[in-house]
């Protein structure tokens, strides 16, 4: 049957009217295509589909979407079977985890958040969409918008860090980038904010663990970036694996129906995470597979990923009346509506163009952007004696297991990167040096183990050099899904290497590779210069060389706080106030650890450039902000150094008294500005009540009148605040 040209609604309704229950349920099933799933324990044999089976299922109208198989030719064949050989001819959505690049790999999202440039994330997401749609995809499972306040959790690498305001800005930018201006364009890629919700709040930072959370924190911290993503146009959302206060997110009616549909009027499609409906049984929230299906579907999950539970149990649940036909129709409508919205019902072969796929100029055109994004994601933590930038004629020893490594460049969740184009540290540094041979390169140790003679060779190289570039950090597989850590430190073999190299007395610049904030120790912590280089993607070596030799000034700022010690986790700057703060006036009965200060070693927002930046006082244009008024806050920012730099000027607020205990500070604005040597610029932020709003004790969302502190500062731990008072609405006493 052909899909006639009618209005979108009429077309969807006429399709729906012709569908059997099995065909309807088919639209709600998503399976990994063509690739034998890699982990048998979470992929019962019954759910494994080989190529022939997938096509058979498509032909039978039993598949709404497929994921993680790519290629225009494969996609065309699937679509041909769907359109020409299935009874209703409904095309299949082709999805994949394309998280931070396709062939060209951009920095891990956490690293890119360090740029404090949402528009950079929009541009890299756009480039990613162009490459992904050229490989035949319609839909990506990104962005991850989980707020990660505990650095033990490995999936913080996929998001934008510990802050809500920054997280919202990046969530929106990434959605805009993936989807572009026109959803029907062949290079528009559907975005999926995930994991709904509070996945970043898993207890003890252990992936898949439980979440106990207040309603206020859930709403103000963890739900906010999803709302920002929907406001930016996201049409799909993925549920989380964790439970929230005892109810699994994937069967959570409060989240999937009351908040999403009721409060936010989200019209789009809710897809489960991988077998999350099946896992309701392991959670002990469902008695058996049928019960799990009923609970997930009834809570508001439209599409089931990989378990096959909907196909197996929904028809019987509809027949028994436990699932009303109207509810099934509504879920199918949403799937068809998304297909309609991206133009798939008009052009089933959308984004399936082998010529475009073979066009090597597409990824090649993104190399400059990958280099720029990587440069701008690097954070300079420390630069004693202005050791950086290095002179190009210095004798340099590049030491460490990441020096020539090609396997730890891309970072977690990169399934399709073109490894042949990855630039190692060694290659990037050699390319930047007139005489690349003047660079001595020594591994010193393996990622997690000593190498015979490694330390001796590293020490000899350090002794013969003016400066050591020490490339140490976490192996790539320490971050990402299921990669939780208790001690967020370097592997011991690397720490031993660092100690030996530092003992030579040759100045050390640490090039840290990491997918989370780390607790730096010993010679790494005490090195005179430290660059946080995350996992920077394809252009790693060139971008690091650009910063090391001063081709550009580092302009990244920490999106996560670096602790003194792992035991401080969860450590995040915007924590609620305690009744016994760690102030000098307090006796020993105060909130404190015996071993370490409460503060971070390097706080959220921290980062240096090659200029010397000074801030003038924060000034408010008026002492009072009317309930519906606006207030401008300003400060002068100067570069008194000898080099050009970029500064991330940050606005923080603190509500002195609240009906719920308020955070000590909260980011509410930022501007990245360029400053020439000797230049001063005034930076202004406009405030209104919306920025002061939170979930109040009575559950309503608004500001509360009273006194506020406001900082314009270079980090979450710097600066002196000014004050203003938010006046009560005219009809209400203060
Ligand atoms: C599980 C992960 O939690 C999710 O982020 C990913 O999109 C799916 N698997 C699909 O691969």
């Amino acid at each position: 049957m052909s899909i006639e040209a009618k209005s979108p609604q009429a077309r969807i309704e006429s399709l729906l009217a012709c569908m059997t229950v099995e065909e309807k349920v088919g639209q709600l099933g998503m399976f990994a295509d063509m690739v034998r799933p890699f982990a048998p324990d979470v992929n019962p044999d019954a759910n494994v589909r080989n190529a022939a089976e997938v096509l058979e299922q498509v032909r039978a109208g039993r598949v709404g979407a497929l994921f993680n198989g790519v290629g225009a030719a494969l996609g065309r064949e699937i679509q041909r079977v769907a359109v020409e050989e299935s009874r209703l001819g409904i095309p299949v959505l082709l999805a994949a985890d394309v998280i931070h690049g396709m062939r060209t790999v951009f920095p891990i999202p956490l690293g890119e958040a360090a740029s404090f440039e949402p528009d950079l994330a929009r541009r890299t997401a756009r480039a990613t969409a162009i490459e992904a749609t050229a490989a035949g995809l319609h839909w990506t499972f990104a962005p991850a918008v989980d707020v990660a306040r505990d650095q033990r959790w490995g999936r913080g690498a996929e998001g934008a860090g510990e802050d809500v305001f920054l997280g919202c800005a990046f969530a929106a930018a990434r959605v805009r980038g993936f989807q572009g201006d026109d959803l029907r364009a062949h290079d528009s890629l559907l975005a999926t904010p995930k994991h709904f919700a509070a996945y970043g709040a898993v207890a003890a930072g252990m992936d898949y663990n439980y979440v106990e959370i207040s309603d206020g924190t859930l709403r103000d911290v963890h739900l906010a970036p999803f709302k920002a993503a929907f406001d930016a146009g996201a049409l799909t959302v993925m549920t989380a694996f964790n439970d929230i206060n005892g109810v699994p997110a994937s069967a959570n009616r409060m989240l999937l129906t009351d908040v999403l549909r009721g409060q936010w009027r989200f019209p789009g499609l809710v897809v489960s995470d991988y077998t999350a409906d099946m896992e309701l049984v392991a959670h002990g929230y469902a008695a058996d597979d049928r019960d799990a299906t009923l609970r997930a579907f009834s809570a508001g999950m439209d599409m089931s990923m990989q378990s096959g539970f909907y196909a197996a149990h929904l028809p019987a649940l509809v027949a028994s009346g436990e699932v009303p036909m109207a509810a099934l129709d509504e879920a199918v409508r949403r799937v068809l509506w998304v297909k309609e919205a991206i133009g798939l019902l008009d052009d089933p072969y959308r984004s399936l163009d082998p010529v475009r796929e073979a066009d090597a100029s597409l990824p090649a055109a993104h190399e400059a952007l990958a280099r720029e994004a990587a440069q701008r994601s690097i954070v300079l933590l420390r630069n004693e004696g202005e050791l950086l930038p290095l002179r190009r004629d210095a004798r340099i020893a590049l030491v460490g297991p990441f020096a020539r490594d090609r396997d730890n460049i891309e970072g977690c969740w990169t399934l399709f990167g073109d490894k042949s184009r990855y630039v190692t540290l060694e290659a990037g540094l050699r390319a930047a040096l007139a005489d690349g041979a003047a660079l001595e390169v020594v591994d010193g140790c393996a990622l997690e183990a000593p190498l015979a003679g490694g330390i001796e060779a590293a020490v000899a190289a350090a002794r013969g050099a003016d400066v050591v570039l020490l490339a140490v950090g976490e192996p790539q597989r320490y971050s990402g899904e299921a990669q939780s850590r208790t001690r967020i430190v370097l592997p011991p073999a690397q720490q031993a290497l660092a100690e030996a190299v530092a003992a030579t007395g040759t100045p050390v610049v640490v090039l840290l590779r990491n997918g989370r904030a780390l607790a730096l120790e010993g010679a790494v912590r005490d090195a005179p210069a430290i660059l946080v280089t995350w996992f920077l993607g394809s252009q790693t070596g060139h971008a690091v060389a650009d910063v090391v030799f001063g081709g550009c000034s580092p302009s990244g700022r920490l999106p996560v706080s670096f602790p003194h010690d792992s035991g401080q986790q969860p450590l995040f700057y915007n924590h609620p106030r305690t009744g016994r703060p760690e102030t000098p006036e307090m006796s020993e009965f105060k909130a404190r650890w015996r071993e370490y200060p409460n503060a971070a070693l390097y706080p959220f927002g921290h980062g240096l450039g090659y200029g010397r930046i000074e801030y003038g006082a924060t000034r408010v244009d008026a002492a009072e902000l009317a309930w519906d008024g606006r207030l401008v806050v300003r400060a002068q920012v100067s570069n008194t150094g000898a080099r050009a730099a970029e500064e991330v000027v940050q606005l923080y607020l603190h509500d002195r008294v609240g009906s719920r205990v308020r955070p000590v500070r909260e980011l509410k604005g930022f501007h990245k500005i360029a400053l020439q040597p000797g230049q001063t610029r005034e930076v202004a932020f406009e405030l209104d009540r919306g920025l002061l709003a939170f979930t109040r004790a009575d559950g309503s969302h608004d500001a509360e009148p009273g006194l506020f502190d406001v900082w314009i500062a270079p980090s979450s731990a710097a600066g002196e605040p000014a004050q203003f008072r938010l006046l009560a609405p005219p009809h209400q006493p203060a």
Side-chain angles (χ1 to χ4, degrees), residues 348-385:
Y349 298 98
R350 169 202 190 276
S351 307
L352 293 170
D353 175 359
V355 176
R356 191 165 156 258
E357 183 181 35
D359 181 355
S361 72
L362 282 185
H366 296 147
E367 264 171 16
L369 178 59
R371 185 164 176 165
E372 180 190 347
Q375 289 167 349
R376 302 181 78 76
S377 301
I378 293 173
V379 184
L380 176 61
L381 293 184
R382 186 170 190 207
N383 194 17
E384 294 303 305

Side-chain angles (χ1 to χ4, degrees), residues 178-201:
F178 286 132
Q179 298 194 163
D181 298 331
D182 175 8
L183 279 172
R184 298 174 84 86
H186 66 86
D187 63 1
S188 172
L189 188 66
L190 280 167
T192 313
K194 66 184 188 185
H195 306 79
F196 197 62
Y199 189 36

Side-chain angles (χ1 to χ4, degrees), residues 151-152 485-490 516-519 563 566 569:
Q151 299 305 308
R152 293 172 294 183
R485 302 189 67 195
T486 55
R487 300 200 61 234
I488 50 175
V489 296
L490 296 193
R516 54 162 62 76
L518 294 176
S566 307
Q569 294 302 315

Side-chain angles (χ1 to χ4, degrees), residues 68 97 141 155 194-195 238 241 273-274 305 413 481:
N68 281 357
D97 288 283
F141 303 138
R155 302 201 75 174
K194 66 184 188 185
H195 306 79
M238 185 187 290
F241 286 126
D273 201 342
Y274 199 102
M305 183 194 290
W413 273 118
E481 188 173 350

